[in-house]
Amino acid sequence: MKRLLFILAGLAALAVTLIRGIAGGEGDLALLLAALEGNPIRGVVIINWHALTAVFGLLAVALFFSAWLSRPVGVIVGLLAAGTFGTTCALFMAVAAAETGSPFTYFPYIPLGITATLSFLAALSAGMGRR
């Protein structure tokens, strides 16, 4: 079960990374950059966008590898991934609620929440094994 949860969490993290990198890059990032044309903060937005995408991708790889690594490594990677995806999910929901009145307005909370949950369950499964 430990391996399966890490593989599922890794697949979910990979999906988040690809959705962000492809659909988000063509949609959200393009709109942001167009709105910030000529503004010096534009470069910071580009850096932050790609940095978060890279973090998501690295966590996907780490989750996949954790399926075969030691239990303590799995716990740490699973908790880091759960924290990263869960925090991003919570931010999407909080900003959506503040901006639109509903925390469910912006789609990314769904794959982020699923990935956070799977990562947390993977960490739990790694921590519950024999020492």
Side-chain angles (χ1 to χ4, degrees), residues 1-112:
M1 185 60 130
K2 172 191 171 250
R3 282 191 180 152
L4 177 62
L5 284 170
F6 276 102
I7 291 168
L8 290 174
L11 287 171
L14 179 61
V16 167
T17 304
L18 292 174
I19 290 168
R20 180 178 175 80
I22 297 169
E26 291 176 2
D28 298 342
L29 181 59
L31 289 171
L32 282 169
L33 296 181
L36 292 171
E37 190 65 44
N39 189 317
I41 198 77
R42 189 174 189 267
V44 175
V45 170
I46 293 169
I47 292 165
N48 284 326
W49 181 276
H50 293 297
L52 185 58
T53 304
V55 168
F56 287 168
L58 289 169
L59 286 169
V61 171
L63 286 163
F64 282 127
F65 277 111
S66 292
W68 290 274
L69 296 175
S70 69
R71 290 185 181 281
V73 171
V75 171
I76 292 168
V77 169
L79 290 177
L80 285 172
T84 302
F85 289 104
T87 299
T88 308
C89 176
L91 287 168
F92 262 97
M93 295 181 84
V95 171
E99 293 291 320
T100 69
S102 171
F104 308 110
T105 304
Y106 303 142
F107 160 78
Y109 81 90
I110 297 169
L112 289 164

